[in-house]
Amino acid sequence: MANAKVIQSKQESVDVIAGKLRESVSTVVVDYRGLNVAQVTELRKQLREAGIEFQVLKNSLVRRATAAAELSDLDAVLAGPTAIAFGTEDAVTPAKILNDFAKTNDALELKGGVVEGRVVSADELKALASLPSREGLLSMLLSVLQAPVRNFALAVKAVADKDEQQSA
């Protein structure tokens, strides 16, 4: 009887992890071996403030969840101590926070992940982390869209100023 409860509990955990893998826009798998408690606490705080869930999970459960979520290619990075960050809002933010943290804490290593349903390598995550945030990209887009209007307004003003000088 106890054995059936354990199996059921593990199956529920696998279902939850598989659901998170399917729902998250960006999932980053890291090796946290060598980080002390203060460092892990600081990392968790940064991730929590950005709305990213960070969990230490058993590789065997994650492997079963990747099979259920049809992301078995991720199994290649599931070795050793594994922590996973699940980001549901922005594809760039989890990779950016973890990559920046890894730059100042050599013990943290990006292993790989899933971005918008596609398994990616650690190098691809680092490239993604170098992109500006969603807000930064939107402000760049807005700037590009405003430039023609701004230039047109300046041209109209210049013509008006020139006509005013000629009539004076």
Side-chain angles (χ1 to χ4, degrees):
M1 190 63 144
N3 199 15
K5 288 182 180 180
V6 170
I7 291 172
Q8 180 181 358
S9 172
K10 287 184 178 184
Q11 184 57 48
E12 289 171 1
S13 296
V14 167
D15 293 342
V16 168
I17 296 166
K20 288 179 184 180
L21 285 168
R22 284 188 206 102
E23 294 166 8
S24 68
V25 177
S26 178
T27 302
V28 180
V29 179
V30 297
D31 182 345
Y32 63 93
R33 190 178 9 206
L35 291 178
N36 63 35
V37 174
Q39 291 169 321
V40 172
T41 303
E42 176 59 27
L43 177 59
R44 285 182 184 274
K45 179 180 176 253
Q46 289 178 21
L47 291 167
R48 192 177 329 105
E49 288 172 354
I52 299 163
E53 186 176 350
F54 187 71
Q55 294 182 316
V56 174
L57 299 167
K58 293 184 83 168
N59 290 331
S60 59
L61 295 178
V62 177
R63 280 191 196 95
R64 290 176 186 255
T66 58
E70 298 178 2
L71 295 167
S72 295
D73 292 343
L74 190 61
D75 292 353
V77 299
L78 297 175
T82 301
I84 302 178
F86 298 99
T88 56
E89 296 174 15
D90 184 13
V92 177
T93 305
K96 183 179 280 301
I97 292 172
L98 289 165
N99 190 52
D100 290 347
F101 194 85
K103 286 178 184 176
T104 58
N105 298 280
D106 293 336
L108 185 73
E109 176 191 348
L110 274 67
K111 295 165 109 178
V114 180
V115 177
E116 296 182 346
R118 186 176 147 261
V119 176
V120 295
S121 69
D123 292 335
E124 289 172 300
L125 285 173
K126 290 175 184 174
L128 181 66
S130 68
L131 292 175
S133 67
R134 182 177 189 274
E135 289 76 22
L137 289 171
L138 288 174
S139 74
M140 286 183 206
L141 176 63
L142 183 61
S143 175
V144 167
L145 293 175
Q146 284 180 336
V149 174
R150 185 174 44 244
N151 291 342
F152 178 72
L154 291 173
V156 168
K157 184 177 183 316
V159 169
D161 290 347
K162 183 177 176 187
D163 286 347
E164 190 176 298
Q165 286 177 355
Q166 287 178 351
S167 62

